[in-house]
Amino acid sequence: MTDLTDPSGASLRLSNDERERAVSAIQAHAAQGRLSEAEVQSRVQSARAAVTRGDLAPLFADLPGGVDLDGPGAGAGAGAGGGAGAAYAAPAAAAQPARDPYATPSEPYSRPANRRWGLAIVSVAPFVALILFFVTSTVWGYAYSWLWFLLVPITGAIVYGADGGRDRDRR
């Protein structure tokens, strides 16, 4: 169990996983009838907005047990003794490791190399367009030389639009 009132740990920043464990503990106390619906909503909102462990201390000050922020998948409670502060289960998603947003089961993480090449190509496109603009304008004039600058958005569309929006669906 984490001592939220300990001054040495009160200034430690919370992770999203720790906030969700605190929310689970609040909901478990509500399920046992210790908190009204209005109190639950207020405390859950405060827990999700908490920045440090000290910000969570007032939320559990009047509740038995506490909250375990340190253990993976651990919930609130006074320990193995059971009783009023029995351990509460954290959500299953909290215990899972962070998943790579670009990897699929059949495709290992390989996006950074592709992104570096795409970034290089899109970064060079304006300079290529500028060089082609000056070369063709001296040979044929300025009438249609400006069309080389369309190379910039076309390059971006080809490089970043090639996946058909798969990245947007995963966010």
Side-chain angles (χ1 to χ4, degrees), residues 21-152:
R21 286 186 193 143
V23 168
S24 294
I26 291 168
Q27 291 170 343
H29 283 292
Q32 292 183 348
R34 291 191 181 102
L35 300 171
S36 69
E37 185 62 33
E39 289 175 310
V40 170
Q41 289 177 358
S42 172
R43 291 182 191 215
V44 164
Q45 184 178 10
S46 296
R48 289 199 170 124
V51 176
T52 63
R53 288 184 174 193
D55 295 340
L56 292 178
L59 304 178
F60 293 96
D62 61 342
L63 296 172
V67 62
D68 185 8
L69 300 177
D70 298 321
Y88 305 110
Q96 295 176 354
R99 183 174 154 353
D100 172 29
Y102 297 112
T104 61
S106 62
E107 173 190 2
Y109 185 69
S110 62
R111 286 285 187 193
N114 294 343
R115 286 182 179 251
R116 277 180 278 184
W117 278 106
L119 180 62
I121 291 169
V122 171
S123 299
V124 169
F127 298 108
V128 171
L130 187 64
I131 291 167
L132 291 171
F133 170 77
F134 285 121
V135 169
T136 56
S137 64
T138 58
V139 176
W140 295 295
Y142 292 104
Y144 295 105
S145 296
W146 63 270
L147 290 172
W148 288 113
F149 290 107
L150 293 176
L151 180 69
V152 176

